Amino acid sequence: MRDGRNPDGKVVTVQIAVDRIHDGHLGGVVTSADAEDKFGNNLLGSVIFCAAFLVSAFHAEDTDGVIEGVFVGGNSPYVVNWTDGGSVSGSQSNATDIHITDLPDGDYTVTVRDADGCEISADAAIHQLTQKVSLTADSQTKVYDGSELKSNIYSGGDNLESGDVIANVIFSDDSKITNAGVQTNHIESFQILRNGVDVTCRYDTAMIDGSLEVTKRQLTFTSADDEKVYDGTELVNHEVTVTGDGFAEEEGVTFLVTGTQTLVGNSNNTFTYALTDGTDADNYEISVVYGTLTVKENNTAIEISSASNHWTYDCETHTDETYTVKYGNSELASSDGKTFELPTGDKLTITNTAAGVKYYDASYNENNTFTYTLENAAQYTGAKNTVFGTLSIDKRAINFSANSAEKPYDGTALTDDGYTITNSSLATCDAIDHVTITGFQLNVGTSENVIGEVVIKQGNEDVTYNYDINTTKGVLTITPIDVDVTITKHGAEHNYDGTI
């Protein structure tokens, strides 16, 4: 018969067993039906054919009921008779199976007789299904937790006749889900029982699928922010936090942080991650947030100083490449006097630019100049002070002593342009150009022999200004002479004794 619940007009075959029993009568039983065994019921030894009445676009007439069956046992040929007890009846001779079509709605009796005259009858009801009963499978959603999501809950089953109950609801084996996704929750079959007897065929039944959904766990991996003042070393922070739904039990992740920042500036605190064995990425919605590594400018003050020094004029050019470097309040050491390593590891290298000093100059000031280079100089924003020392030449002290001279008076002037250098010396590259001595003594007595001008040259260049010249006066002495003088006056004479 045609099943009104199947839109393709499926015909369900029911086998009627025909056989002799010990009292010579035939007994009929239902031996098989459709796969779900919904259309055959063994009621007190008789066979009831449940048929469906279907009206559809391609079955416009009311006479589309079908009764079908097959013969099991007995001896052919078979004769099939049917009647609704009224105006509808029919017969088939030499039948090989039961195939009665175009039957209107009604209650029929089907009788089968074999070649030996053995008969068996069965009732078949063809009625349009007017009571619709549907079951809706449960729908559930959960966040992935590694466990199976399954629900054999259903709703519906209303509109039943009094005393009828829903029973034997069977869900499909694949109506379950563990990993993230959506799975249909499908009811394969159910029965409607009346006093323990299956009367499902008397209802227009429907099964509505539910859904089982496992949503992904939401995770956010966030690496740490960190900062420091530039110190020449890498800034790293390997901390990564996991927020959100977290991992399901016995699942997890490992991180490899790769972010670094050494110079002034900032960059992402990058990292990679690897899910542990047994952790399926498809079950997680993962967001990655990189922290920021920030290196700030170093504002420590740096002071570079050159030495001050002075030398006595000696014809040589003098320099002094002695330097001091302070980093904050700390004085730095140097192995060669010119290269200094800061606590950051960066090197500060000094290059002398001072020409040096050779001659005396009263205007010398901060002339011990230099330049310097600093590795990664842009990382340092503190004051960088340069203090130039002063290199100078002191005048060379030299003493000229004028000669002293003495003679008896002879009426001529006594002079002496001789001199000596005492307690000092000329620089080796210099020479006396001339010394002017102005001493003069004519008469008996003494006078100073004075050095007036001293000129010292280095080649043709006057270098007298490089000397602090001191002079010592000499003494010029005219002594009286011892002579007899006779003075005659008016015929008298006597020796001159200084008086007249």
Side-chain angles (χ1 to χ4, degrees):
M1 65 211 132
R2 191 178 301 259
D3 180 359
R5 289 167 292 179
N6 297 311
D8 60 353
K10 175 181 177 183
V11 175
V12 179
T13 299
V14 177
Q15 296 180 342
I16 298 177
V18 181
D19 204 353
R20 296 179 183 277
I21 56 176
H22 62 86
D23 60 359
H25 295 283
L26 289 178
V29 297
V30 175
T31 59
S32 67
D34 70 322
E36 297 178 351
D37 194 22
K38 289 182 178 179
F39 297 95
N41 297 299
N42 186 0
L43 301 177
L44 301 177
S46 64
V47 177
I48 298 177
F49 290 86
C50 292
F53 183 81
L54 176 66
V55 177
S56 67
F58 50 89
H59 293 291
E61 299 180 1
D62 291 343
T63 56
D64 63 352
V66 176
I67 298 175
E68 288 190 340
V70 295
F71 305 122
V72 178
N75 297 308
S76 62
Y78 300 96
V79 176
V80 179
N81 295 290
W82 65 90
T83 181
D84 67 351
S87 61
V88 179
S89 63
S91 178
Q92 291 179 346
S93 299
N94 298 316
T96 59
D97 59 12
I98 302 170
H99 185 69
I100 309 168
T101 62
D102 298 326
L103 295 174
D105 195 8
D107 294 318
Y108 294 87
T109 299
V110 179
T111 302
V112 178
R113 185 177 67 252
D114 73 351
D116 296 325
C118 296
E119 291 186 358
I120 187 171
S121 296
D123 295 326
I126 299 177
H127 296 288
Q128 184 174 5
L129 302 179
T130 58
Q131 288 181 259
K132 186 167 185 175
V133 175
S134 63
L135 296 187
T136 300
D138 185 33
S139 292
Q140 289 195 18
T141 300
K142 75 169 184 177
V143 175
Y144 170 77
D145 61 5
S147 65
E148 182 180 86
L149 175 61
K150 182 176 182 179
S151 176
N152 289 340
I153 300 172
Y154 60 88
S155 60
D158 302 328
N159 202 30
L160 294 175
E161 294 289 341
S162 177
D164 290 355
V165 294
I166 302 296
N168 301 323
V169 179
I170 299 174
F171 285 77
S172 63
D173 290 340
D174 59 359
S175 291
K176 57 188 176 182
I177 185 171
T178 299
N179 293 321
V182 179
Q183 175 66 39
T184 299
N185 196 20
H186 177 65
I187 299 173
E188 287 191 340
S189 65
F190 69 92
Q191 290 180 311
I192 301 173
L193 300 182
R194 179 179 299 166
N195 296 322
V197 176
D198 186 353
V199 293
T200 310
C201 63
R202 298 189 180 276
Y203 289 89
D204 181 9
T205 59
M207 291 164 285
I208 301 171
D209 291 337
S211 67
L212 302 174
E213 181 178 10
V214 174
T215 61
K216 295 182 178 183
R217 296 180 81 86
Q218 302 296 311
L219 297 178
T220 300
F221 301 156
T222 305
S223 58
D225 294 326
D226 209 344
E227 66 178 35
K228 71 173 181 178
V229 172
Y230 172 77
D231 62 4
T233 63
E234 289 184 342
L235 172 62
V236 295
N237 190 317
H238 291 162
E239 180 182 355
V240 180
T241 58
V242 178
T243 56
D245 296 329
F247 282 95
E249 188 175 353
E250 297 184 359
E251 297 186 13
V253 64
T254 59
F255 296 104
L256 176 62
V257 178
T258 55
T260 66
Q261 182 70 27
T262 301
L263 300 180
V264 171
N266 59 70
S267 60
N268 289 335
N269 192 12
T270 54
F271 63 91
T272 58
Y273 66 88
L275 299 179
T276 56
D277 291 344
T279 304
D280 187 346
D282 291 338
N283 291 321
Y284 295 88
E285 189 71 41
I286 298 174
S287 299
V288 172
V289 178
Y290 295 131
T292 301
L293 299 177
T294 302
V295 174
K296 296 181 176 181
E297 296 165 335
N298 188 322
N299 61 4
T300 304
I302 299 174
E303 181 180 277
I304 309 105
S305 303
S306 58
S308 292
N309 209 341
H310 63 96
W311 299 266
T312 298
Y313 172 72
D314 60 0
C315 292
E316 301 293 330
T317 299
H318 293 275
T319 60
D320 189 341
E321 297 184 25
T322 302
Y323 304 101
T324 301
V325 176
K326 285 186 176 181
Y327 180 81
N329 295 322
S330 300
E331 187 171 314
L332 304 181
S334 173
S335 60
D336 62 3
K338 294 182 179 181
T339 302
F340 298 81
E341 184 171 320
L342 277 60
T344 60
D346 293 327
K347 291 182 173 57
L348 186 150
T349 303
I350 299 173
T351 301
N352 174 50
T353 59
V357 289
K358 182 177 181 180
Y359 301 106
Y360 169 79
D361 188 335
S363 65
Y364 284 142
N365 185 51
E366 296 183 355
N367 58 344
N368 195 12
T369 58
F370 57 85
T371 60
Y372 71 90
T373 58
L374 173 60
E375 291 177 345
N376 297 312
Q379 314 306 308
Y380 301 88
T381 57
K384 299 180 185 68
N385 299 319
T386 54
V387 180
F388 299 131
T390 298
L391 303 180
S392 61
I393 295 294
D394 299 330
K395 288 186 176 184
R396 187 180 187 90
I398 191 167
N399 186 67
F400 288 85
S401 297
N403 289 345
S404 294
E406 179 180 325
K407 74 175 182 175
Y409 174 77
D410 62 3
T412 62
L414 175 60
T415 62
D416 191 334
D417 58 2
Y419 63 88
T420 58
I421 298 174
T422 59
N423 299 323
S424 59
S425 62
L426 283 175
T428 57
C429 60
D430 296 340
I432 303 297
D433 181 70
H434 65 269
V435 177
T436 301
I437 299 176
T438 60
F440 177 87
Q441 183 66 32
L442 179 60
N443 296 315
V444 172
T446 61
S447 62
E448 294 177 343
N449 197 20
V450 178
I451 296 175
E453 179 184 48
V454 176
V455 175
I456 304 171
K457 288 189 175 182
Q458 190 177 108
N460 293 322
E461 182 180 356
D462 188 345
V463 294
T464 308
Y465 64 92
N466 291 294
Y467 290 87
D468 182 11
I469 299 175
N470 295 306
T471 61
T472 302
K473 299 173 182 178
V475 177
L476 297 177
T477 303
I478 299 292
T479 61
I481 59 173
D482 189 13
V483 295
D484 291 331
V485 178
T486 301
I487 300 174
T488 300
K489 181 178 179 182
H490 303 291
E493 68 178 34
H494 59 84
N495 291 330
Y496 177 68
D497 60 4
T499 62
I500 296 177

